[in-house]
Amino acid sequence: MATTQATQEVQATQDIQAAHVIADDAEALAVAASLAAEFRAGASARDTERRLPRAELDRLSASGLLAVTVPAEHGGADVSAVTLAEIFRLLAAADASLAQIPQSHFAYVNVIRRQGTDEQRKFFFAELLAGRRFGNAQSEAGTQHVQDIRTRLRPRADGSYRLDGVKHYSTGALFADWIPVLARAEDDNLHVAYVPRDAPGLTVVDDWDGLGQRTTASGTVRLEGVGVPADRVLPHHLTFEGPQLHGAVAQLLHAAIDAGIAGGALAEAAEFVRTKSRPWFESGVETAAEDPLLIQRFGELAIRVRASEALLREAARAVEAARADLTDDSAAEASIAVATAKVQAAQAAVEVASALFEVSGTRSALNSLNLHRHWRDARTHTLHDPTRWKIQHIGRYVLNGTRPPRHGLL
């Protein structure tokens, strides 16, 4: 046993040396911009071939970006919410599937920050700095609603737990080192069990067949008698017993992905019109880019994108303000700001990705060009957490001062 533990410690040390540790917000943004440019080049081919981005995720891990929210006292950069949102926007503008994969990773880092013991924080933050990835096993299919969690965490005589259940839409699980599993204990309270990807009884099935975000591998996780040590279980239900930002941060990253999709679609549409589209014969101009009607439409779409990006930044600043002074009122302000950004970004992503064909012309519809991946990604991702309910909460807050509920989807 001692030999095995020593071997593991040596391996962990080697991994820590191999993974870069980002120093601050400025470096995080520079690394994200560089990787986004790199990932953009192969995004269409990966989508067309459904080639899973294992190499790209390894680059993401090695870069240190997945550890940027580790607290400074544990050696991390602890970047701001503004920076984190911009990282996701940059990545999504390049490859919306790739950006989606670490969204849950950061959500479950936040669970450790809020509910972890000192020892749990020390262990998992070291894992993150070593380049380890979190997946997720959260949602379930065939239940009454999204928060009807049937997966069970049952105590064993030795103090450990047994985990049983089936999860769907498990983005990131296939590529993860650790899979956070949302489960209910005997008292029906929600917990998160952090389970190694290779744990006996845990199976990840690559059966995701969504029309968009094709390479997220958001498939099925089966848990059959999976053993979980007590120190790998965190009481997630406590997160929602007071003012919290868990939902706001998770939704902020979803909003950033939508804003990135919108911006990426607009950029590709502009490039296509400049280099490939023909002007309409009635326009009287030499190139499509000189067509006044196309110029008008591009102006309208640019406003949608800029509004999404501005609201995203404003929401991130509201999250930062609430972190500095967390109260029921500041948490509510942050949640409403994020909900507003998410509604705008979701609408912009779908509109701009659809308008890409309107402004680019008939040729843009060729399947071989795969320009439709932007719309497919937008249409798929914006199905997360319906915006109609976010608008309801915004309206209640503005009209009656009703704070939004405490849950992880707002």
Side-chain angles (χ1 to χ4, degrees), residues 89 259-260 263 304-314 344:
R89 191 194 68 80
R304 304 287 192 276
V305 172
R306 283 176 175 261
S308 299
E309 294 170 354
L311 286 172
L312 181 68
R313 289 190 294 270
E314 179 183 304
Q344 169 65 26

Side-chain angles (χ1 to χ4, degrees), residues 134-360:
F134 290 167
N136 98 89
Q138 178 170 288
S139 295
E140 300 178 12
T143 56
Q144 186 176 7
H145 51 73
V146 70
Q147 293 201 323
D148 181 14
I149 303 297
R150 307 286 175 87
T151 299
R152 290 292 157 177
L153 193 63
R154 296 180 174 86
R156 288 172 161 170
D158 63 359
S160 66
Y161 293 90
R162 173 189 171 118
L163 194 58
D164 294 278
V166 179
K167 298 290 189 176
H168 299 271
Y169 313 117
S170 302
T171 304
L174 191 67
F175 315 108
D177 299 291
W178 292 90
I179 301 179
V181 181
L182 196 61
R184 293 196 182 276
E186 287 190 318
D187 59 5
D188 216 36
N189 283 326
L190 280 175
H191 291 69
V192 177
Y194 289 75
V195 183
R197 168 68 177 80
D198 59 356
L202 186 153
T203 305
V204 181
V205 184
D206 181 22
D207 57 358
W208 170 243
D209 66 347
L211 66 88
Q213 295 196 302
R214 288 176 171 174
T215 62
T216 59
S218 302
T220 301
V221 170
R222 294 195 175 93
L223 306 134
E224 300 176 18
V226 177
V228 186
D231 63 356
R232 297 293 178 260
V233 177
L234 280 73
H236 191 35
H237 62 97
L238 297 180
T239 299
F240 307 103
E241 291 189 359
Q244 52 82 35
L245 297 171
H246 179 81
V249 172
Q251 291 298 305
L252 181 71
L253 302 187
H254 281 307
I257 292 169
D258 288 340
I261 293 172
L266 182 63
E268 187 142 14
E271 177 65 15
F272 193 93
V273 169
R274 283 194 297 264
T275 60
K276 296 183 177 65
S277 294
R278 297 182 298 178
W280 184 244
F281 73 96
E282 292 177 291
S283 67
V285 296
E286 292 294 320
T287 67
E290 297 172 286
D291 184 332
L293 297 183
L294 284 182
I295 289 171
Q296 175 74 18
R297 186 62 174 134
F298 268 98
E300 293 168 350
L301 297 174
I303 290 169
R304 304 287 192 276
V305 172
R306 283 176 175 261
S308 299
E309 294 170 354
L311 286 172
L312 181 68
R313 289 190 294 270
E314 179 183 304
R317 287 193 291 266
V319 169
E320 280 300 305
R323 276 180 177 165
D325 182 21
L326 187 59
T327 65
D328 282 329
D329 287 337
S330 66
E333 280 287 341
S335 288
I336 292 300
V338 171
T340 303
K342 180 66 173 72
V343 171
Q344 169 65 26
Q347 292 174 348
V350 174
E351 179 184 356
V352 176
S354 177
L356 181 155
F357 303 99
E358 169 195 337
V359 296
S360 300

Side-chain angles (χ1 to χ4, degrees), residues 49-63:
E49 301 163 15
R50 197 178 179 269
R51 175 158 40 88
L52 299 182
R54 295 182 187 277
E56 289 75 16
L57 284 170
D58 287 343
R59 291 275 292 120
L60 201 59
S61 293
S63 76

Side-chain angles (χ1 to χ4, degrees), residues 22-33 65 77 79-80 83 87:
I22 286 175
D24 53 29
D25 291 64
E27 185 184 6
L29 291 172
V31 170
L65 275 183
V79 301
S80 70
T83 295
I87 288 169

